Amino acid sequence: MARGGAPPASPPPPLPPSGPEPLPRRALRKLLLVLGSLLMSLYASYCLAGAAHVLTREPAPIPVAPGEEAAPGTPRNPFWPPQPGGEGDKRLPQAVIIGVKKGGTRALLEFLRVHPDVRAAGAEPHFFDRNYERGLTWYRELMPRTLDGQITMEKTPSYFVTKEAPARISAMSKDTKLIVVVRDPVTRAISDYTQTLSKKPDIPTFESLTFKNRTTGLIDTSWSAIQIGIYAKHLENWLLYFPIGQILFVSGERLISDPAGELGRVQDFLGLKRIITDKHFYFNKTKGFPCLKKAEGSSKPHCLGKTKGRTHPSIDQKVVQRLREFYRPFNMKFYQMTGHDFGWD
Ligand SMILES: *[C@@H]1O[C@H](CO)[C@@H](O)[C@H](O)[C@H]1NC(C)=O
Ligand SMILES: *[C@@H]1O[C@H](CO)[C@@H](O)[C@H](O)[C@H]1NC(C)=O
């Protein structure tokens, strides 16, 4: 209703029931129609936005072995792991596990969650590669609530090979601590291929994808399974924005053979008390993988076992040998840059 000035409209004079609709009532009906459709479209776009949100956010994968991912068809539980509710504030991460794919990043994060001062996002946010235009507010919303003194973390293994990621993370905070889980690039490539093969059984053989020309032995470095393992090259991009001391390199191999030892280094790097120790792990000899005695948020033991039924294709040993030769100089460079011999040769 108009306020001030204009006098209120006088009620319409009564009209014979058969006559044309009075103008104000027609206008009112039109207005209601417009309002109705507006509400409908608002609701529709709300639903679509929700769907898009679900589509762009990967569901939290069920944790499995270091260097392994859930077998296809494994149910994914979006409510796992349980997030603390209500307390504290959402903060941007102070530490990010930036790589590498099939290196054991999921295992590391599951082990770290045991620490009471670590809180981690449940799913991979893919913010600094795929979702950057959504902005830091969107990113922060994905984080769990933390209390003072707790560290917020996330892991997205593709950051390590994303050209733009170092500048973007540095723009968020140049003090961000970075963790990279690395693993022998040859076994990493095979594991990467095996995962793809389990989703798309029709892809060419590992051998044929490895070479540009098998006769000459020319390796196809544009194939992502090969490219990701050239760690020295990717690391160069990060060193343009971060000092080497701000990046911790975790051995994917040692994460399996000595999880407590490797977790000791990680806790020191993050400035955390050494709470995660041998006592938290036991080794399942059948599986060949370490298990947590008690997983975070559960009372049951939690094993990071090899995905059942995932058969690794047998790769021609000549091809494996050629790949070892290919990676050797890059590995040497990587050892030099990090000051750490990972013993892959
Ligand atoms: C591979 O290299 C050999 C030897 O140089 C050459 O004869 C052949 O044509 C090449 N094959 C392809 C597919 O490029
Ligand atoms: C060890 O792994 C085997 C094979 O996956 C499994 O059957 C067994 O229950 C595990 N044992 C323990 C103590 O975790």
Side-chain angles (χ1 to χ4, degrees), residues 212-216:
K212 270 192 172 143
N213 185 329
R214 178 103 193 237
T215 321
T216 56

Side-chain angles (χ1 to χ4, degrees), residues 31-332:
L31 184 74
L32 278 173
L33 262 167
V34 168
L35 265 174
S37 61
L38 192 73
L39 273 170
M40 288 269 281
S41 61
L42 264 173
Y43 179 69
S45 62
Y46 169 79
C47 289
L48 279 172
H53 184 68
V54 166
L55 282 173
T56 47
R57 269 197 68 190
E58 287 193 0
I62 287 168
V64 283
E68 289 289 332
E69 281 189 21
T74 305
R76 281 163 183 261
N77 179 357
F79 301 105
W80 196 97
Q83 296 297 311
E87 278 181 279
D89 300 310
K90 295 187 173 200
R91 287 170 237 247
L92 290 169
Q94 298 101 312
V96 180
I97 300 174
I98 56 173
V100 301
K101 187 185 179 192
K102 309 309 293 174
T105 57
R106 173 56 60 186
L108 175 62
L109 198 57
E110 291 325 310
F111 293 162
L112 269 174
R113 277 182 200 282
V114 170
H115 202 292
D117 294 337
V118 171
R119 300 248 69 105
E124 291 177 8
H126 280 279
F127 176 64
F128 297 106
D129 56 344
R130 300 184 203 154
N131 293 305
Y132 193 62
E133 62 295 336
R134 290 172 186 251
L136 285 168
T137 312
W138 176 86
Y139 185 45
R140 187 170 50 217
E141 270 312 301
L142 301 181
M143 300 300 152
R145 296 182 182 281
T146 50
L147 302 170
D148 284 335
Q150 287 184 321
I151 293 180
T152 303
M153 292 189 73
E154 69 118 320
K155 77 117 179 164
T156 304
S158 48
Y159 292 162
F160 188 61
V161 297
T162 301
K163 259 263 153 64
E164 301 82 8
R168 289 171 174 180
I169 295 185
S170 172
M172 173 180 71
S173 168
K174 62 179 177 47
D175 297 324
T176 311
K177 290 181 178 179
L178 308 173
I179 298 175
V180 196
V181 187
V182 286
R183 181 182 177 198
D184 180 348
V186 179
T187 50
R188 198 219 67 81
I190 296 169
S191 175
D192 197 339
Y193 171 79
T194 307
Q195 188 191 334
T196 312
L197 188 67
S198 70
K199 290 177 193 158
K200 300 180 200 162
D202 298 334
I203 55 167
T205 62
F206 181 85
E207 290 85 344
S208 62
L209 289 166
T210 297
F211 295 107
K212 270 192 172 143
N213 185 329
R214 178 103 193 237
T215 321
T216 56
L218 188 64
I219 305 252
D220 187 356
T221 54
S222 68
W223 183 31
S224 69
I226 303 288
Q227 212 243 332
I228 291 170
I230 311 174
Y231 302 142
K233 281 261 191 257
H234 302 296
L235 181 55
E236 277 173 4
N237 292 332
W238 290 90
L239 294 180
L240 298 174
Y241 292 88
F242 293 93
I244 192 87
Q246 215 168 307
I247 312 175
L248 182 73
F249 301 91
V250 172
S251 158
E253 286 86 7
R254 289 191 67 80
L255 203 53
I256 296 170
S257 64
D258 178 21
E262 217 54 12
L263 263 289
R265 293 180 60 230
V266 178
Q267 290 170 96
D268 291 351
F269 174 73
L270 294 174
L272 295 167
K273 268 206 284 189
R274 280 198 180 209
I275 285 175
I276 310 167
T277 64
D278 316 345
K279 294 183 192 74
H280 290 89
F281 301 98
Y282 69 91
F283 199 80
N284 186 322
K285 286 202 182 100
T286 325
K287 272 186 155 65
F289 278 100
C291 305
L292 279 176
K293 281 181 188 158
K294 236 174 125 182
E296 192 253 4
S298 122
S299 55
K300 281 185 189 162
H302 184 67
C303 283
L304 296 140
K306 207 171 239 168
T307 315
K308 255 194 198 158
R310 171 84 51 90
T311 47
H312 279 244
S314 51
I315 309 289
D316 185 339
Q317 279 311 298
K318 281 203 190 103
V319 176
V320 173
Q321 215 39 52
R322 174 69 192 97
L323 266 181
R324 296 220 163 277
E325 279 167 34
F326 167 78
Y327 278 120
R328 191 165 296 121
F330 297 113
N331 288 347
M332 294 305 138

